[in-house]
Amino acid sequence: MMGKLTRDAVIEQALRIGDDEGLQAVTIRRLAQDLGVTPMALYWHFKNKEQLTVGMGDHLVRGFATEEDATGPWNERLRRLVGGLVDVLRRHACAASVLEEVDQMEVPSFLRVWDTALGLINQAGFTYEESCLIARYLLKGAIALAGGEARDRHGRSDLEAAEARRVKRLGLQSLPRDSYPHIVEMAAPLVDGCSAEVYDTFGVDLLIGGVEVMAARRTASSA
């Protein structure tokens, strides 16, 4: 087994554990046990959990092509970038936790996403400082979207999750209507949410829409 153990095999097993049990369950000892090797065999690839987590982050984003099509308006390309990143991260339940855990500037694949985002935002007329700030908001927003709706974070069965939502919904609906009229009225969508597809699409539109409005104001004020 040790002769066949590759860096990618270690990372893929780490992602499986992270998806099923959460990132906290991913340890060198646990991985060695699952892969049937000694911990020392894994230290050949990763000296510690921090290096392993960086490797997991790089693996998550590595297959994401940031600028295969470098044509079209900046806002359409930026929308494709952010939406594509959300789609890629959605493939693993632990993806958001991984990228929140690491210094994203140490993840080569994510650096390419950052670089592309910075270029597109700067192209829209924002200063270097503003471009850095907007890119940070957008990429953090993409990570948050990927780790958000349509995921039960407690490992419950569908029936258990449905019952938990029912109880929470009833709790919100029982709040004093004169104090919290909108929460009471919208209790169902607040608790039940929507499909991951709708959640992600609306979220990306919201993120990019804000940048588009700001860019349009810049253009109008300089005209």
Side-chain angles (χ1 to χ4, degrees), residues 44-80:
W44 180 262
H45 297 293
F46 304 102
K47 289 184 171 58
N48 51 46
K49 172 73 175 287
E50 183 180 350
Q51 286 189 5
L52 172 63
T53 309
V54 170
M56 293 167 70
D58 192 52
H59 189 86
L60 286 166
V61 188
R62 192 167 61 196
F64 176 46
T66 57
E67 277 286 274
E68 282 187 353
D69 181 7
T71 61
W74 67 266
N75 54 329
E76 291 181 6
R77 292 161 63 192
L78 191 61
R79 189 181 302 273
R80 288 199 300 269

Side-chain angles (χ1 to χ4, degrees), residues 26 42 66 78 83 124 129 160 164 172 210:
V26 180
L42 299 186
T66 57
L78 191 61
E129 291 79 5
E160 290 170 331
L172 292 179

